[in-house]
Amino acid sequence: MSKIPVIEMFGPTIQGEGAVIGVKTMFVRTYGCDYRCSWCDSAFTWDGSAKDKVTMMEPQEILAGLLELAGENFNCVTISGGNPALIGEAIGEFITLLHERGIQAAIETQGSRWQDWFNDVDVLTISPKPPSSGMKTDWDKLHEIMLRVGNHGKAAHSLKVVVFNQEDYEYARKVHFKYPEVPLFLQPGNDNVTEEGDISGRLLGRLEWLFNLVIADPQMNRARVLPQLHALIWHNKRGK
């Protein structure tokens, strides 16, 4: 059986972002990413600083680990990274195991790679990265993925864009224009992911700034603006 590079598992906790915000979930974080976003809040999944924490695990081992952590106290597993879309059939096998137990699978990826198991995910968030990330969007690849999940996927798929500045906001508008029927979630960026202590005041200020942009913009009437809920409550703590 194929294996998955797992750097951490934790929970149950509350999902703080996107379409499943507020949902109790377990987290499985995979190692490796094809992006190097300047503001990444989980750079340890790709920069080598925590490579010694990576364990190659079979899907059944991961499920057993989650059950050991939480028993029956969850009904959703969020698979994040890094970019879990770098991993092939092993993720698909893991999703099958979850579904056999009646557990939902939620995944976020940047829309840079396609995997056939996208069609089996329950909640799929495509989060293309805006200019502030330093990454360049492959619009052709993103369009291919959006077409394929729209035509064949069972997932409740959505788009999410993190917004740090006006240029990022214009990028989010472009994404919304290309896919107006797909739910779009906007989230203000956390521009200091290492700051210690209570960062909620700073984050709420950024949220109000983004609120005001959307309120004034008739082209974004269907966009949904959300906070990073977990960061408001637990700030920059890991494993929350």
Side-chain angles (χ1 to χ4, degrees):
M1 184 176 282
S2 303
K3 294 188 176 184
I4 298 169
V6 176
I7 193 165
E8 64 178 358
M9 297 190 294
F10 60 91
T13 186
I14 300 298
Q15 172 60 259
E17 303 180 10
V20 288
I21 190 170
V23 173
K24 181 163 65 175
T25 187
M26 299 296 288
F27 270 84
V28 176
R29 195 181 294 280
T30 63
Y31 187 79
C33 192
D34 50 331
Y35 275 20
R36 300 290 184 268
C37 295
S38 61
W39 36 251
C40 179
D41 62 2
S42 52
F44 64 94
T45 64
W46 51 262
D47 66 5
S49 62
K51 198 170 184 180
D52 59 331
K53 301 288 194 294
V54 179
T55 303
M56 299 302 297
M57 302 180 70
E58 294 182 355
Q60 185 64 55
E61 291 179 287
I62 299 173
L63 178 58
L66 295 174
L67 294 172
E68 183 178 352
L69 280 171
E72 301 294 328
N73 191 24
F74 67 98
N75 191 48
C76 178
V77 173
T78 299
I79 306 167
S80 64
N83 183 10
L86 298 181
I87 303 163
E89 62 182 23
I91 295 281
E93 293 166 4
F94 180 53
I95 292 169
T96 297
L97 289 176
L98 294 177
H99 287 166
E100 287 173 353
R101 297 184 68 94
I103 300 169
Q104 286 195 327
I107 287 183
E108 179 174 320
T109 180
Q110 56 258 41
S112 60
R113 301 284 184 95
W114 169 263
Q115 292 289 350
D116 288 342
W117 48 257
F118 281 11
N119 290 329
D120 299 319
V121 177
D122 298 287
V123 183
L124 179 65
T125 300
I126 307 295
S127 183
K129 305 308 178 190
S132 64
S133 70
M135 300 294 103
K136 185 175 171 117
T137 300
D138 183 336
W139 293 102
D140 290 338
K141 175 57 68 174
L142 177 62
H143 189 61
E144 174 199 344
I145 290 171
M146 297 303 296
L147 281 177
R148 292 175 79 169
V149 296
N151 291 335
H152 304 294
K154 78 169 193 173
H157 66 284
S158 61
L159 288 155
K160 188 189 85 175
V161 178
V162 179
V163 179
F164 282 83
N165 54 39
Q166 186 67 40
E167 187 179 17
D168 287 355
Y169 182 73
E170 295 304 322
Y171 175 93
R173 295 176 89 250
K174 179 178 179 179
V175 170
H176 193 38
F177 180 79
K178 285 179 175 290
Y179 307 104
E181 301 306 315
V182 179
L184 172 66
F185 297 92
L186 301 182
Q187 172 187 305
N190 178 2
D191 54 10
N192 188 347
V193 298
T194 62
E195 180 183 355
E196 297 182 356
D198 188 344
I199 64 172
S200 57
R202 174 168 60 81
L203 295 182
L204 287 171
R206 298 296 296 163
L207 183 63
E208 182 181 15
W209 167 79
L210 187 53
F211 274 177
N212 288 333
L213 286 179
V214 172
I215 288 169
D217 188 350
Q219 300 303 313
M220 295 292 264
N221 289 346
R222 298 177 66 181
R224 307 179 198 182
V225 185
L226 297 176
Q228 273 192 310
L229 187 60
H230 59 291
L232 287 177
I233 303 300
W234 292 302
H235 316 301
N236 281 327
K237 293 178 183 175
R238 284 266 303 274
K240 293 293 188 181

